[in-house]
Amino acid sequence: MSEPLFLTPVLHEKMWGGVALREDFGYDIPSETTGEAWVVSGHPHGVTAVVGGQFAGQTLAEVWTKQPQLFENHDTTRQYPLLVKILDAHQDLSVQVHPDDTYANAHQPGELGKTESWYILDAKPDAKIYFGHNAMTHAAFDEMIDQQAWGELLRTVPVKPGAFFYVPAGTLHALGAGVLALETQQSSDLTYRVYDFDRVDHETGQKRALHLADAKAVTRVPFEPEQPEPSTINFGNAEKTTLVEAPYFNVYRVTVTGPAYFTKQAPYTQVTVVDGSGVLTVDGHDYDVQKGQSFILPANVEEWAFDGQLTMISSTPGFLSR
Ligand code: ZN
């Protein structure tokens, strides 16, 4: 029998977090400063577990290793390649940059690099993100960091709900205060922090560590935005917008307004319901789905259907993640 893999989120407290993950998504948050829900994750820093069905109670990492056919995975030594999070930036996140695979593996063997992407779920009226920088040469970049010329160095972009940003490894970035975002990324937790707004962590009384040498080594200079143009197709009661098709992952926004039928397009598909509720039908079985739930449609699910009123962000592995 083929079936979806429903996953439980893993919640992470962060000094910049808030309560939106409870208020908007109904998650059982551990504190009033909860920043991240890892909703599809095989990463050891927060691995999601399967709820219901024949793999109930197993972690995604276990199912990935023991049932490679469900992912058309031919290399069982590698980790689950993708990670999906929902982030509540109640305050600004630190300005940071991530390495590519080569740098990550050289400096922290076993970790992947981190190319990520943001789908903006909600944003306060004046919300912005930090995205890219204004230095034209590495020398200028290093100098602006050394002189803490943040206003001159950092580039900001206003954001609205529904916007999408592709953030390749080597891009200086941060979510700004008042942004709720769904992040689809490589499964990695390697972050080089450049600027933390001189904040002190309430818990530790310390500033969080910066990683300036690594950041200078991995940041791409000059910044060249690679923003994909979204394209939308409609079929029946469904609308599917391609947000990005990139080497590590492909990301789509799917909305349904009634019965809608889908066929497999990739080894497996990760789905997070970001609005509405409805029914997912797989192999003759109906599953109630609603905002906040995430699931994987594995390789043995050749076709599926949704009914109801649903907005979902789905993703599939790109060629470098297969
Ligand atoms: Zn990041």
Side-chain angles (χ1 to χ4, degrees):
M1 173 188 150
S2 62
E3 58 182 24
L5 304 173
F6 282 90
L7 300 166
T8 47
V10 177
L11 293 143
H12 290 268
E13 297 186 71
K14 298 282 175 183
M15 62 189 279
W16 42 261
V19 296
L21 294 171
R22 177 176 65 214
E23 299 195 341
D24 284 26
F25 283 90
Y27 298 148
D28 185 15
I29 59 175
S31 76
E32 307 298 292
T33 52
T34 299
E36 302 187 352
W38 293 21
V39 295
V40 180
S41 168
H43 195 283
H45 294 177
V47 63
T48 52
V50 177
V51 192
Q54 56 192 309
F55 305 111
Q58 293 188 34
T59 67
L60 178 55
E62 286 171 322
V63 180
W64 166 257
T65 304
K66 292 179 189 163
Q67 314 287 339
Q69 75 286 356
L70 293 181
F71 306 91
E72 296 177 9
N73 176 30
H74 305 293
D75 175 4
T76 52
T77 64
R78 69 194 182 111
Q79 58 177 304
Y80 189 78
L82 301 178
L83 176 55
V84 181
K85 301 177 183 178
I86 300 175
L87 287 86
D88 171 17
H90 185 64
Q91 296 175 32
D92 290 330
L93 274 73
S94 60
V95 178
Q96 54 186 250
V97 61
H98 307 295
D100 63 13
D101 288 347
T102 307
Y103 192 93
N105 194 48
H107 291 77
Q108 190 136 336
E111 269 284 29
L112 295 172
K114 186 158 144 186
T115 285
E116 63 188 56
S117 65
W118 299 327
Y119 178 79
I120 307 299
L121 295 164
D122 202 3
K124 297 254 157 62
D126 295 323
K128 62 177 191 274
I129 58 169
Y130 297 85
F131 190 59
H133 61 79
N134 296 313
M136 296 310 291
T137 64
H138 278 281
F141 182 78
D142 293 358
E143 193 180 319
M144 283 190 241
I145 286 185
D146 293 341
Q147 296 183 350
Q148 305 190 17
W150 308 119
E152 198 184 340
L153 177 67
L154 301 175
R155 213 171 149 269
T156 60
V157 180
V159 293
K160 294 213 168 1
F164 180 81
F165 297 90
Y166 178 58
V167 189
T171 306
L172 204 59
H173 66 279
L175 289 177
V179 176
L180 189 68
L182 182 140
E183 191 170 85
T184 304
Q185 55 169 93
Q186 287 183 272
S187 181
S188 169
D189 206 14
L190 260 189
T191 293
Y192 301 137
R193 197 176 288 129
V194 174
Y195 176 49
D196 202 22
F197 304 92
D198 300 315
R199 287 180 293 201
V200 171
D201 191 312
H202 299 299
E203 302 269 298
T204 63
Q206 307 278 322
K207 289 185 184 177
R208 298 190 294 178
L210 302 179
H211 315 94
L212 299 180
D214 287 317
K216 288 173 181 173
V218 306
T219 303
R220 293 195 205 175
V221 182
F223 169 64
E224 285 166 6
E226 298 175 38
Q227 287 314 299
E229 272 297 308
S231 62
T232 298
I233 56 166
N234 289 278
F235 46 101
N237 295 308
E239 179 187 273
K240 180 176 180 179
T241 298
T242 300
L243 298 169
V244 72
E245 289 182 330
Y248 292 104
F249 48 72
N250 310 306
V251 185
Y252 309 93
R253 180 182 57 218
V254 178
T255 58
V256 304
T257 52
Y261 302 92
F262 295 80
T263 53
K264 178 179 156 178
Q265 308 280 333
Y268 55 96
T269 303
Q270 312 179 126
V271 182
T272 299
V273 180
V274 298
D275 205 11
S277 63
V279 175
L280 163 67
T281 303
V282 173
D283 202 9
H285 290 259
D286 290 344
Y287 303 86
D288 288 331
V289 292
Q290 59 177 337
K291 181 175 179 176
Q293 277 183 315
S294 294
F295 50 89
I296 295 171
L297 297 158
N300 60 359
V301 176
E302 299 288 340
E303 52 189 25
W304 61 91
F306 288 109
D307 195 359
Q309 303 284 329
L310 292 160
T311 302
M312 297 167 279
I313 301 298
S314 73
S315 49
T316 60
F319 68 90
L320 287 180
S321 295
R322 292 187 183 185

